[in-house]
Each structure stands twice: as structure tokens, then as C-alpha cells.
Amino acid sequence: LAVERDLRRALEGEEFELYWQPIVRTRDGAVTGVEALLRWHHPERGLLAPGAFLHVAEEAGLMPVLCARVLQEAIGRCATWSRQLPSPPRVFVNLDRHQVRNPGLVRGIGELLDRHGVDPALLTLEISERLLGEDVPHVRSLLQRIRGHGIGVALDDFGAGNTALSWLQEFPIDLLKLDLAFTAALGQPATRAIVEAVLALAPRLGIATLAEGVETREQLATLVELGCDYTQGFLHARPRSAEQLTAELLRG
Ligand code: G
Ligand code: G
Ligand code: MN
Ligand code: NA
């Protein structure tokens, strides 16, 4: 497969880059976090988003290498920002299915944080709702160990699939990321009612809330009115390079 051959070459070179999307605190509009989103500078096809290559990497068995790279680069960047910025943003990293199954994951992350001298509280790991139901006892203990290191846990894509409300009490979760489909359909009364209920419920369980995919002022206004703690989306910023983001954060 051509893509697979290209992927192997890319992993040997410098073709992968983390882009970063700001997470904005509703209360004061401050950028308090940034989500790492992988990009591939393909020599012929240009800049590729994960949808174009993650499934190939998965089939080719390249996800362990790729995800290890992502964690290394993200934690290294976290260290750089901690030195450069008076209040560095929290760094959010997406976990993949194979990482969730890897018994050495938490120890490896702990070692990376130690080596770079990074405060674990600056790192939040995102786990997609899709991965929660696969092995509840295992995932619960994994998330507990992550929390035990002082690292944050975010539940990603919440409400997108076969969501169970009981998960909010079964798993240790710091932040709930409402799936972008809810934001897109906020104009519909039924969707708004569901979002309103979730945003009222989460804080009672000690869980902060974030809405993904915020693209319009109307969506933001509704989310502010309903008490959503954080928002993320093209209205604030598209994912951008670390250089660009750093310049923006330094400007304040
Ligand atoms: O950036 P984009 O919107 O194209 O991301 C598409 C999907 O790829 C999202 O579901 C996102 O969580 C996933 N993704 C992006 N970067 C990474 C990464 O570094 N690791 C993993 N496991 N998934 C990622
Ligand atoms: O699955 P996860 O939530 O990690 O994926 C985030 C994805 O959402 C990324 O691919 C990112 O590019 C995309 N994204 C971020 N902001 C917006 C937005 O405002 N609108 C849309 N449609 N997608 C967004
Ligand atoms: Mn995510
Ligand atoms: Na998501």
C-alpha cells in the first residue's frame, strides 16, 4: 500500500507535526489549555489531518510508534512552554485504543514528565467515550492511576455514541468534552434541553464541562448562558503550529 510505505518513511523523517487548538475559559476568555492534534506534511498530498491516515497507521501496526512520538513531543512542548510563559496552558493529548491497553502507559508518561521536569497537572489525557465501554474495570483502574500521578482525565466525544450516564460516576473524570454534534444542533430545542441537563449535572458530580466545535457567536452565547466552563472550536481558533500558538500566547 502506497500510504503505508509513505507512513513508514514519514516516521523516519520529520513529516509529522503536532498542531494545537486553543481551549478557552468561558469566565474570562483566557486560553487555559491547548489540544494536540496530529498533522502529516505529506510531500505530495500536502497537510493531512488524522482522518486521512490514522486508520492506515492502525492497520499497519504503526500506532504504538506514532502515539509514543505524540506523547514525547507534547510533553517536550509542555516543558518549553513552562519555561517561556508565566502561565503555561494545560496540554491535552488524545489517547488511542492501543495506548489504553498498554500496561506500561502510565509509567512511561510518568518517566517523560520527570525527565522534562513537567508539572503533571499541566497534562490532561483525553479518552474517547468509544473506548470506555470496552473494558470498564480495566479503564477505571487506568484512569485512577493517571489521576494518581496528578495528571488530568478528560472524557472526549461525550454523548456521541452509546453513552451511559453511570459512566460519570464510574470513572474518575475531571472534564467532560461534549461532542461537537451537540454544539452544531444547539438551535434545536431538544438538543438544547439535553445540553442544558448535562451542563447542570456535571458540576454536581465535580466534573468541569467543555463544548467542542463552537463555530458561531450564537452557539457561544447559548453555552455561556447554560454555564459551560470551557469552549473550543473554529470561532476561537483552528488548530495551529506550536510556533504560531507560542507567538500568540506571548502576545497575551
Ligand atoms: O484534527 P482532526 O480534527 O482532524 O482530528 C481527527 C481525529 O483524530 C480526532 O478524533 C482526534 O481525536 C484524532 N487525533 C488527532 N490527533 C491525534 C493524536 O495525536 N493521537 C490520537 N490517538 N488521535 C488523534
Ligand atoms: O475527537 P476529537 O475531539 O479529539 O477531535 C477534535 C476534532 O474536531 C479535530 O479534528 C478538530 O480539527 C475538529 N474541530 C475542532 N474545532 C472544530 C470546529 O469548530 N468545527 C468542526 N467541524 N470541527 C472542529
Ligand atoms: Mn480530543
Ligand atoms: Na471530541
Side-chain angles (χ1 to χ4, degrees):
L1 210 69
V3 193
E4 185 178 331
R5 187 202 57 215
D6 287 359
L7 265 176
R8 291 185 188 280
R9 184 206 56 223
L11 277 168
E12 284 160 19
E14 303 288 308
E15 294 175 32
F16 286 106
E17 182 180 3
L18 287 184
Y19 269 36
W20 299 91
Q21 188 176 38
I23 289 171
V24 175
R25 184 164 59 196
T26 309
R27 177 158 59 75
D28 56 3
V31 174
T32 53
V34 283
E35 180 176 358
L37 294 162
L38 191 60
R39 296 292 182 265
W40 179 8
H41 296 277
H42 192 285
E44 288 108 40
R45 295 163 68 201
L47 188 65
L48 301 181
F53 60 86
L54 277 192
H55 59 287
V56 185
E58 181 119 19
E59 279 165 31
L62 296 172
M63 284 306 271
V65 182
L66 194 52
C67 293
R69 283 272 189 92
V70 167
L71 272 172
Q72 261 175 30
E73 187 181 333
I75 290 172
R77 183 60 64 184
C78 206
T80 306
W81 281 328
S82 296
R83 289 190 296 267
Q84 285 179 321
L85 303 165
S87 40
R90 261 173 194 269
V91 163
F92 289 69
V93 179
N94 291 286
L95 286 183
D96 165 72
R97 172 177 276 106
H98 100 271
Q99 289 176 298
V100 168
R101 293 193 186 134
N102 172 6
L105 177 76
V106 182
R107 182 170 31 82
I109 293 174
E111 285 170 6
L112 273 172
L113 291 168
D114 283 348
R115 193 185 322 146
H116 286 92
V118 168
D119 177 2
L122 283 176
L123 178 66
T124 295
L125 299 174
E126 297 194 11
I127 182 163
S128 173
E129 173 189 274
R130 283 185 296 278
L131 302 180
L132 281 193
E134 292 187 357
D135 185 348
V136 170
H138 168 72
V139 174
R140 184 194 296 122
S141 98
L142 170 70
L143 298 185
Q144 281 166 348
R145 280 184 292 126
I146 290 171
R147 276 286 218 58
H149 271 69
I151 300 163
V153 171
L155 178 51
D156 203 4
D157 311 315
F158 182 78
N162 299 308
T163 311
L165 284 178
S166 61
W167 287 348
L168 298 181
Q169 72 179 128
E170 274 181 276
F171 295 102
I173 296 162
D174 298 291
L175 174 74
L176 191 155
K177 297 188 81 173
L178 265 175
D179 189 68
L180 45 74
F182 288 111
T183 304
L186 260 185
Q188 296 175 24
T191 302
R192 184 187 159 120
I194 292 169
V195 170
E196 189 167 352
V198 172
L199 293 179
L201 172 63
R204 297 193 55 182
L205 301 171
I207 301 172
T209 54
L210 179 152
E212 304 185 291
V214 178
E215 296 182 357
T216 71
R217 301 233 150 261
E218 289 84 353
Q219 290 166 350
L220 180 62
T222 302
L223 291 161
V224 169
E225 186 190 332
L226 299 181
C228 191
D229 299 310
Y230 302 90
T231 55
Q232 179 180 356
F234 297 163
L235 176 66
H236 300 304
R238 289 180 178 261
R240 69 253 343 273
S241 69
E243 288 68 31
Q244 187 182 341
L245 182 77
T246 305
E248 291 163 355
L249 292 175
L250 282 169
R251 248 180 271 134

